[in-house]
Every structure is written in structure tokens, then in C-alpha cells.
Amino acid sequence: MIFEWGKKTYVMGIINVTPDSFSGDGVLDVEAAVKQGIQMEKDGADVLDVGGESTRPGSVPVSLEDELARVIPVVTRLAKEVKVPISIDTYKAEVARQAIAAGASIINDVWGGRMEPEILTVAANTKVPIILMHNRSQAAAVEGERYVGVEYKDLIGDIKKELREQISVALAAGIAKENIIVDPGIGFGKTVEQNLELVNRLDELKELECPILVGPSRKSFVGYTLDLPASERLEGTLAAVALCIQKGADVVRVHDVKETDRTRKFVDAVVRR
């Protein structure tokens, strides 16, 4: 698949092969995960993002062996069952390597190559796109599912600075600039107010000259703003998606594909005429 940036907004469907997803949609059964992916493709997903480790605040790390056991069978099956590209949501180089061999064609690293730098070499050698996310989760205090006490001198300025650094490291590793997608990390080490500001100022990240992916789906900043649990955050998520598209998002990563696809089609009809 060739992404035509600026022509449309792409929808990435989330497949959590985990027992502890914050949104309650995790599945550990291969058949259930594959069925979910097939349905997402029918509902309008342009990409399927398979992950085997929860990234919710306070989540417990998963071993390499367990993560491989969760995601590789799903990627292998999906690669045979769907036509849309498959993304592997991992920061582990070996998981990325094996997932690409199994049929994945995009790496989605929530640590942007900083947790396991070898993942950048994997992306460079396989020539697949990589999503580099801004993430200060380790520096943030956690209260429930909410991050608190994260210090930024200048929220957007700091995010741009750190993403520029991650882009530079990726380029030095041999990744082509056209294979780099950036994600400002909505919900990762940022307070509710910071996430709301990030959505409102997302267009400022266009200075990085890379496609922008955002993942507001069912996140705690939606829940705290509306005072709703994860199971009731669809409308807030769609509002965030619409605002992000209007502010320049190229890819939206979501749980609710059908509703998001309809939303993006309408917003695209307005902002991408």
C-alpha cells in the first residue's frame, strides 16, 4: 500500500492481543483477534495495528517470549486473511523483526526507538515505515489511569524538540525520511490539560515535515473531560478525531473503526476538498 499523505486521513484499527487493555477490548485467542481484524477491514480500516503488551498507565511489562507468542500467530494469520497492511505495535526489536517476517509491514514503537535502539536498525534493514512516538511516561506520576505531575517548559516546543531528536537518530540509523511517521503521544506522560492543548495545537507539528499519527481513542483525557468510563468514550473520541484531522492528522489510531471511518470521511470532505 502506498500512503498518499494529504489526500485522505487513514484509519488504523487497534487489535490488542492482551488480557489487560485499558479499554477492555483485549483478546488472547488467535481466532478472535483475526476475526476482529477482518471485521475492522470491512468497517473501513486502512491499517491494522497488532500489539501484545498493554501501554496503559501502570501496566506490567511483558516478556519477549510472551509477546512473541501473542502477536506472531495473529500477524501470520492476518497477513493471509486481509489486504490492508499490518502494523506491529512494539518497542522490542526482536518482536518487530519476527512480525515483519510474518507479514507486518509497519513498526509502531511507543518509545520511538529509545527503549531498544536496535529496532531502528530493523526498520532500516527491512525498509518499512516506523512510527516514532513522543513518550514521557517513565517520568510521570500515575494516579489511576491518569498521568499527573509531568513538567514541560513548553509543551508543544518540548514535544517538537524531542521528536526532532528521535527523527535524527532514526535517519542516522539508515531509515529513509519518507518512512518516518511521528506520533505526539496523546495520553503518554501528559496530563488531561496537556492532552487537550496538544489536540488544539497539533498543526504546529507540521514543522517536523513528517506524517502525523494520533491515538486519542478512549483515552483517559476523554474520560476525565466527560466524566465517563472507557466503555462510554466513543463520542468524545470521535470529537477528538475530528479536531485532530482538522488540525492536520494523517492517521488516526482507534478502537471503533466503523464510526471513525464515517467521521473521517465527513471531516475529510470539509478540510481536504
Side-chain angles (χ1 to χ4, degrees):
M1 178 179 179
I2 297 175
F3 293 99
E4 298 182 85
W5 304 120
K7 199 168 185 179
K8 64 176 282 188
T9 305
Y10 293 88
V11 174
M12 174 183 277
I14 301 168
I15 301 176
N16 287 318
V17 194
T18 64
D20 56 346
S21 168
F22 83 92
S23 61
D25 68 327
V27 292
L28 279 177
D29 180 69
V30 174
E31 292 299 324
V34 172
K35 184 178 178 181
Q36 188 179 61
I38 291 171
Q39 186 60 51
M40 284 181 170
E41 181 182 41
K42 291 178 180 176
D43 288 342
D46 301 293
V47 182
L48 299 177
D49 192 42
V50 178
E53 179 173 340
S54 174
T55 53
R56 64 179 172 79
S59 60
V60 178
V62 173
S63 70
L64 172 62
E65 293 74 21
D66 285 347
E67 189 173 344
L68 287 169
R70 290 177 181 182
V71 301
I72 299 305
V74 175
V75 171
T76 302
R77 280 284 308 282
L78 279 174
K80 298 173 183 176
E81 300 281 351
V82 301
K83 294 180 180 178
V84 297
I86 299 164
S87 168
I88 180 65
D89 178 3
T90 188
Y91 59 82
K92 297 184 179 75
E94 186 57 28
V95 174
R97 185 180 291 110
Q98 291 195 32
I100 292 168
S105 55
I106 301 170
I107 297 171
N108 181 15
D109 183 357
V110 298
W111 287 104
R114 291 183 294 138
M115 188 67 77
E116 288 195 17
E118 176 65 20
I119 201 169
L120 300 175
T121 303
V122 174
N125 290 343
T126 55
K127 295 181 170 57
V128 302
I130 184 168
I131 299 157
L132 304 176
M133 195 179 84
H134 178 270
N135 192 340
R136 283 195 185 181
S137 296
Q138 288 181 330
V142 178
E143 186 179 277
E145 62 166 337
R146 179 179 187 169
Y147 285 111
V148 292
V150 187
E151 293 295 329
Y152 288 88
K153 293 180 180 178
D154 169 20
L155 178 68
I156 304 302
D158 287 356
I159 291 172
K160 286 192 291 188
K161 178 177 178 291
E162 289 167 37
L163 282 174
R164 279 197 187 97
E165 292 170 355
Q166 289 168 245
I167 291 168
S168 295
V169 173
L171 292 172
I175 299 172
K177 181 69 180 291
E178 59 266 26
N179 277 343
I180 297 175
I181 299 166
V182 295
D183 178 350
I186 290 174
F188 284 80
K190 300 171 183 70
T191 65
V192 173
E193 284 301 319
Q194 288 166 346
N195 285 310
L196 294 172
E197 181 181 350
L198 177 52
V199 170
N200 191 43
R201 298 176 61 191
L202 188 69
D203 54 331
E204 295 179 40
L205 298 185
K206 286 292 184 181
E207 293 176 23
L208 298 173
E209 298 181 332
C210 289
I212 299 169
L213 179 146
V214 291
S217 188
R218 303 183 188 175
K219 292 279 176 71
S220 63
F221 85 106
V222 175
Y224 280 101
T225 300
L226 301 179
D227 192 22
L228 291 171
S231 61
E232 296 183 37
R233 296 174 187 172
L234 174 60
E235 297 88 349
T237 294
L238 296 178
V241 163
L243 289 166
C244 286
I245 294 172
Q246 195 272 331
K247 289 288 185 176
D250 297 286
V251 187
V252 289
R253 182 180 180 274
V254 296
H255 301 86
D256 304 287
V257 170
K258 180 186 288 185
E259 296 85 348
T260 302
D261 183 49
R262 293 172 178 175
T263 300
R264 65 94 176 251
K265 283 177 179 174
F266 186 86
V267 181
D268 276 357
V270 175
V271 305
R272 298 191 191 276
R273 283 188 296 169

